[in-house]
Amino acid sequence: MNTEARDVAIQPRVVFVPEHSDTSVGRYAFGYEIMIENNGTRAITLTDRHWVIDHGNGVIKEVRGEGVGGEQPRLEPGERYSYRSGAIIESPAGRMRGDYGFRTDAGAVFRVDIPGFDLIAPPSFRSIQ
């Protein structure tokens, strides 16, 4: 892992969204917020994202794209950036993991792992069969 990657802190937070979920059609909705902090000494720009979404039923989907939330945020040393997004899975429990691509102003590129997090519907929402 290079120095720049070690200097980026990523903190995910996830919530279940019952109003957008429907167990009768295997739809479990989750919202997540990601906090990204540049603890380094150089400015960095988040260029792209890569997610691996495990639906918990054998289905695994990958998502790749530019930036996050329609932006490619630039973080000066000491700055934080957060955004919110969501995921829908087909079972009451799954998992997400991934990584972000960054670029320094000098043109160096590097990737930072996003800590994996569980997507778990509360027991009161699950249908027991």
Side-chain angles (χ1 to χ4, degrees):
M1 179 183 290
N2 67 21
T3 302
E4 285 90 359
R6 283 194 302 268
D7 290 338
V8 177
I10 299 175
Q11 246 182 326
R13 188 174 62 91
V14 65
V15 296
F16 178 64
V17 185
E19 61 270 22
H20 293 290
S21 300
D22 184 350
T23 59
S24 68
V25 295
R27 178 184 169 95
Y28 297 84
F30 296 86
Y32 58 87
E33 180 177 35
I34 305 288
M35 172 72 70
I36 303 165
E37 186 172 7
N38 180 2
N39 294 316
T41 59
R42 301 178 195 181
I44 56 173
T45 300
L46 191 155
T47 59
D48 65 278
R49 69 189 181 285
H50 169 235
W51 285 108
V52 177
I53 305 166
D54 182 340
H55 286 244
N57 61 356
V59 173
I60 296 177
K61 295 186 179 173
E62 289 194 58
V63 177
R64 295 180 188 273
E66 289 187 6
V68 291
E71 299 181 346
Q72 290 185 322
R74 183 173 187 274
L75 287 82
E76 293 288 341
E79 278 190 329
R80 291 180 176 180
Y81 174 84
S82 67
Y83 74 97
R84 292 180 179 170
S85 192
I88 296 172
I89 62 173
E90 301 168 358
S91 70
R95 186 159 177 76
M96 285 181 66
R97 62 180 172 82
D99 56 85
Y100 293 126
F102 289 91
R103 181 183 66 246
T104 67
D105 288 353
V109 296
F110 61 97
R111 301 203 71 78
V112 178
D113 288 337
I114 303 164
F117 53 92
D118 295 328
L119 306 170
I120 301 176
S124 59
F125 191 81
R126 297 183 207 163
S127 59
I128 300 174
Q129 300 169 342

